Amino acid sequence: MKSLLKSITPLSFSRIASPLLYSSSISLQIQNPTPLSTLIDDFTRFCYQKDLPKAINAMDSLQKHGIWADPISYSTLIKCCIDSGAIEQGKLIHRHVFSNGHEPKTFLINNLINMYLRFGLFNDACKLFDEMPERNVVSWTTMITTFTNSKRGEEALKLLILMVREGVMPNMYTFSSVLRACDGLSTLQQLHCSMIKRGLESDVFVRSALIDIYAKWGNLDDGFRVFSEMVTYDLIVWNSIIGGFVQNNDGHEALNLFKRMKKAGFQANQGTLTSVLRACTGLVLLELGRQVHAHVLKFERDLILNNALLDMYCKCGSLEDAESAFKRMSERDVISWSTMIAGLAQNGQSRQALELFESMKASGMKPNYITVVGVLFACSHAGLVEDGWYYFRSMKRLYDIEPGREHYGCMVDLLGRAGQLDEAIRFIHEMEYAPDSVTWRTLLGACRVHHNVKLAVYAAKRILELEPNDEGAYILLSNIYANSWRWDDVEDVRKAMRRRGLKKEPGRSWIEVDKQIHAFVVGDRSHPQIDDISKELSRLIQRIMDVGYVPDTNFVLHDLEKEQKEDSLRYHSEKLAMAFGLMNSAKEKPIRIMKNLRICGDCHTFAKLVSKMECRNIVIRDPIRFHHFKDGTCSCTDYW
Ligand code: ZN
Ligand code: ZN
């Protein structure tokens, strides 16, 4: 017995699972040493050692003897093939397990299907799926998920119906996958009902998928209901609801929920942080964004998250942070490059934007639709008419990108800004698209800068044809008419506005100081520090008047109400916010303000002078662009 034990290799020992196997293998070795069990042993050992070449060799011997090993070993080997991208070896396993009429276990066939899908061999996967003698829930869900992921929602839904007809019950994974393929709210609600019937609604994956889809269809009420009815919470579900609010432009609610989530003891992951950064971007919360940045460092390889960080810094007007984040990225995709190019252009750094575009191409990265929008934007804001035409005309040939609505819009802007208004209107009429209100507003902006009243009236009327409730266009028309003493026309415009119940949206500015948002509305005296702010404002006005500042009320081509112009010019919301910022923030920090309406010419002049007199950098983001005021000048070069 002693010698016998010696003859058993340590490996055989370790592999022995049951005493029965032990004894049978011993007896085989004593009486009639057969190569067959050794062959299987060898094969199994190589599989567990993940030695692909040796395992395939051993499998070849099995094939010659018409024997098969256990399915677990094959599935280990399949995983090995997936990991090393060994397509041919994978196909050999497929052939072997089906050879001589052998019928592999369902889970093994599922593994093979998964392998083909991972290799991108969709047809092989489908063929195998079709030929399966018996398909279980995993087989169906694998195929459904594949259709969903490749945006073939209809096929995914059809497969779900077939599955149920074959008597296979979908599980939570099937549902969460199918939900993502929903093509409308009614299918979604039907599915939701059938999930409740099966008692699957309490599952976190299903809940999270439900919230995602309700948010995607803009139905946050139902999404939030699914969230609130939860008994146990899970990070996945938190991420879905926070992401849902961000997607629907409700950053405040998203951040509130994020606070609740942290209080409940959950740690944010990449998904959470991406959503929170997007909320910061929408609300221009640079300080909060910076805090989130500290947590992003943990996930330095997550491209989506890093792109969101980059976008946040660009849209919050902090180019230094954006550039250093961009430089630190270990990997960059076309979105990273496009974000940085557009960020530079929007912040008045057109030359740098175009230089970065050249570096992007030199790095071998192919520009996409959005990249070219950023490039044209840079050209238009720097008045580079020739370059703009060059990129616009050659984008199809050089980058295989058809010019789209945004590209045409940039060209109208480019021509308008350069004062080529006749050229701009000709371009609009020759465009491949019917001009929309954005196009006409762009032209209107150019008319404002170049004082072309006639064309401004034309553009404002086109806007009102497309958007009859646009207050700005009405007020602009009425100002122009009033300035030409055309009182009948003024009265007509006023009547039209009253008929529609329109009133000009008041100007609002926001400023973030010590992580608190302070909002100012034109002429509003509700801020607790309003008396001090007024005093500071008077001091500032006096100081800049000493160097020649004259309040400018002549903004005929600006959509300001007449009474608003004269009485409250000095109380425009951005002036209040600037005074408040000067009083309450550290001297070395730039003052950052967000405004809902376009900044008026007077406030623009005011900001330039204050930046010089007070030696402070001021950044104002209006709906169109950023103005970086520094030492008496603005990054927009007075062109906006
Ligand atoms: Zn103003
Ligand atoms: Zn400016």
Side-chain angles (χ1 to χ4, degrees):
M1 196 61 195
K2 233 182 178 179
S3 63
L4 190 73
L5 269 175
K6 251 188 200 163
S7 76
I8 300 170
T9 63
L11 184 86
S12 322
F13 254 120
S14 66
R15 276 205 56 242
I16 293 161
S18 72
L20 197 73
L21 252 174
Y22 182 27
S23 58
S24 77
S25 104
I26 292 168
S27 62
L28 274 172
Q29 287 195 17
I30 302 163
Q31 291 148 13
N32 180 22
T34 159
L36 294 187
S37 71
T38 323
L39 287 179
I40 294 180
D41 272 356
D42 283 348
F43 172 73
T44 311
R45 188 175 69 236
F46 294 139
C47 286
Y48 284 94
Q49 288 172 349
K50 298 193 172 28
D51 189 334
L52 191 57
K54 282 191 183 155
I56 293 291
N57 260 339
M59 190 179 76
D60 199 39
S61 311
L62 297 184
Q63 176 74 28
K64 279 186 191 128
H65 288 86
I67 52 171
W68 294 272
D70 64 299
I72 304 278
S73 299
Y74 289 117
S75 100
T76 312
L77 194 57
I78 290 170
K79 191 171 176 303
C80 227
C81 290
I82 295 176
D83 291 342
S84 52
I87 300 182
E88 286 316 310
Q89 288 85 336
K91 284 184 174 171
L92 286 177
I93 303 170
H94 177 182
R95 236 172 286 147
H96 168 68
V97 295
F98 276 97
S99 60
N100 300 335
H102 185 253
E103 267 194 21
K105 294 247 187 262
T106 304
F107 90 86
L108 191 55
I109 308 182
N110 287 342
N111 277 335
L112 283 168
I113 291 179
N114 181 41
M115 175 190 79
Y116 281 127
L117 292 171
R118 297 283 288 273
F119 287 151
L121 300 170
F122 185 68
N123 289 339
D124 294 81
C126 284
K127 192 163 172 284
L128 194 51
F129 178 78
D130 287 338
E131 290 166 0
M132 275 177 94
E134 201 187 306
R135 285 173 281 224
N136 64 13
V137 60
V138 179
S139 333
W140 286 100
T141 308
T142 307
M143 293 311 286
I144 289 174
T145 308
T146 306
F147 281 119
T148 316
N149 289 348
S150 46
K151 308 247 178 300
R152 292 159 74 173
E154 208 171 306
E155 280 147 299
L157 286 171
K158 269 186 201 152
L159 223 49
L160 176 78
I161 295 165
L162 279 177
M163 170 182 185
V164 177
R165 280 195 194 140
E166 265 195 24
V168 183
M169 276 304 120
N171 65 13
M172 61 189 187
Y173 298 106
T174 330
F175 273 120
S176 51
S177 179
V178 162
L179 275 171
R180 282 189 279 126
C182 271
D183 54 354
L185 269 177
S186 61
T187 9
L188 175 57
Q189 269 144 1
Q190 275 172 21
L191 270 171
H192 193 168
C193 287
S194 70
M195 277 183 264
I196 294 173
K197 267 187 225 153
R198 289 189 176 77
L200 280 165
E201 210 207 13
S202 58
D203 180 86
V204 288
F205 289 99
V206 173
R207 281 211 184 234
S208 129
L210 270 172
I211 297 169
D212 283 349
I213 309 300
Y214 275 122
K216 188 175 128 197
W217 291 97
N219 185 346
L220 265 181
D221 290 346
D222 280 341
F224 196 68
R225 198 171 45 76
V226 175
F227 175 79
S228 321
E229 284 167 359
M230 268 173 59
V231 184
T232 46
Y233 286 81
D234 189 279
L235 185 61
I236 302 173
V237 188
W238 279 108
N239 282 355
S240 290
I241 193 71
I242 293 171
F245 277 103
V246 173
Q247 205 180 353
N248 286 277
N249 296 321
D250 192 343
H252 281 297
E253 196 48 51
L255 292 177
N256 280 340
L257 281 161
F258 176 57
K259 272 186 214 148
R260 261 180 68 188
M261 178 190 127
K262 285 201 298 187
K263 244 189 213 153
F266 287 92
Q267 283 285 329
N269 69 2
Q270 292 105 305
T272 333
L273 294 175
T274 305
S275 295
V276 171
L277 279 174
R278 287 189 180 141
C280 293
T281 309
L283 299 167
V284 201
L285 297 176
L286 183 62
E287 287 311 315
L288 186 60
R290 279 216 179 95
Q291 284 181 6
V292 177
H293 187 168
H295 300 282
V296 172
L297 296 175
K298 267 184 284 182
F299 307 104
E300 65 173 329
R301 300 204 71 84
D302 191 297
L303 201 49
I304 298 176
L305 179 57
N306 276 292
N307 284 343
L309 181 74
L310 196 58
D311 194 42
M312 184 277 294
Y313 279 132
C314 287
K315 299 238 169 79
C316 289
S318 184
L319 273 185
E320 309 84 60
D321 288 310
E323 282 181 305
S324 74
F326 182 74
K327 280 195 190 116
R328 269 201 312 271
M329 283 173 85
S330 54
E331 192 192 342
R332 298 177 194 122
D333 64 0
V334 65
I335 299 174
S336 333
W337 286 96
S338 307
T339 306
M340 196 63 229
I341 290 171
L344 285 164
Q346 276 164 346
N347 286 281
Q349 311 268 332
S350 293
R351 291 272 167 203
Q352 288 86 329
L354 295 176
E355 276 165 22
L356 193 67
F357 181 55
E358 292 306 318
S359 316
M360 172 185 178
K361 287 188 290 180
S363 80
M365 183 66 71
K366 202 172 166 289
N368 70 6
Y369 188 97
I370 307 287
T371 326
V372 183
V373 174
V375 168
L376 292 177
F377 192 90
C379 293
S380 84
H381 281 248
L384 302 169
V385 181
E386 287 307 312
D387 299 63
W389 273 121
Y390 167 75
Y391 288 121
F392 180 77
R393 287 193 177 123
S394 58
M395 58 189 284
K396 174 78 181 105
R397 182 171 50 84
L398 295 178
Y399 318 120
D400 199 25
I401 301 163
E402 286 291 348
R405 197 174 270 289
E406 289 81 2
H407 303 112
Y408 280 97
C410 283
M411 288 309 287
V412 172
D413 192 42
L414 174 82
L415 296 168
R417 280 169 184 277
Q420 303 180 9
L421 293 173
D422 293 340
E423 188 78 14
I425 192 86
R426 199 176 316 132
F427 186 82
I428 289 176
H429 289 307
E430 285 168 5
M431 277 183 354
E432 273 185 34
Y433 297 86
D436 58 7
S437 56
V438 178
T439 314
W440 291 118
R441 258 186 224 113
T442 306
L443 186 70
L444 191 58
C447 295
R448 197 176 276 146
V449 174
H450 296 287
H451 304 288
N452 187 325
V453 172
K454 205 172 143 217
L455 201 55
V457 171
Y458 180 75
K461 283 186 173 169
R462 298 292 85 72
I463 292 172
L464 289 175
E465 279 168 11
L466 294 163
E467 286 177 16
N469 286 337
D470 187 301
E471 305 97 333
Y474 279 114
I475 292 171
L476 189 97
L477 272 179
S478 115
N479 283 352
I480 292 171
Y481 291 143
N483 212 47
S484 329
W485 309 92
R486 288 162 63 179
W487 302 112
D488 289 348
D489 288 330
V490 171
E491 196 39 44
D492 282 350
V493 173
R494 297 277 144 174
K495 262 188 206 151
M497 281 186 82
R498 276 196 297 274
R499 243 194 339 266
R500 294 178 184 277
L502 297 178
K503 238 184 118 193
K504 178 101 177 80
E505 183 188 0
R508 278 176 214 281
S509 294
W510 294 267
I511 179 167
E512 184 190 2
V513 172
D514 292 336
K515 287 163 218 139
Q516 281 278 318
I517 299 286
H518 297 261
F520 295 91
V521 183
V522 59
D524 177 27
R525 299 193 53 87
S526 63
H527 194 278
Q529 292 185 41
I530 193 66
D531 290 333
D532 291 338
I533 295 170
S534 298
K535 260 185 229 150
E536 173 72 0
L537 206 48
S538 304
R539 180 187 74 82
L540 288 170
I541 290 173
Q542 193 51 54
R543 216 177 152 197
I544 59 176
M545 271 180 159
D546 292 345
V547 293
Y549 163 74
V550 183
D552 187 353
T553 54
N554 183 21
F555 286 102
V556 178
L557 286 175
H558 284 258
D559 42 12
L560 299 167
E561 294 270 24
K562 194 165 168 55
E563 50 278 28
Q564 205 174 312
K565 279 194 297 190
E566 281 153 18
D567 298 340
S568 53
L569 193 57
R570 65 182 281 155
Y571 291 116
H572 273 184
S573 60
E574 58 268 55
K575 285 203 188 81
L576 295 171
M578 271 185 261
F580 178 78
L582 282 170
M583 291 158 57
N584 291 286
S585 62
K587 200 156 170 55
E588 63 285 354
K589 278 195 175 177
I591 293 168
R592 295 174 190 280
I593 295 166
M594 180 166 84
K595 174 140 202 242
N596 65 335
L597 304 175
R598 189 191 286 261
I599 181 171
C600 84
D602 181 61
C603 289
H604 197 265
T605 309
F606 178 86
K608 282 199 292 187
L609 292 170
V610 168
S611 76
K612 190 175 173 67
M613 302 297 290
E614 301 288 313
C615 302
R616 291 292 289 263
N617 291 357
I618 302 169
V619 184
I620 299 183
R621 170 181 161 178
D622 72 12
I624 316 284
R625 58 167 307 138
F626 285 93
H627 300 266
H628 290 261
F629 299 96
K630 193 181 173 184
D631 199 26
T633 59
C634 179
S635 61
C636 75
T637 57
D638 299 338
Y639 208 129
W640 77 95

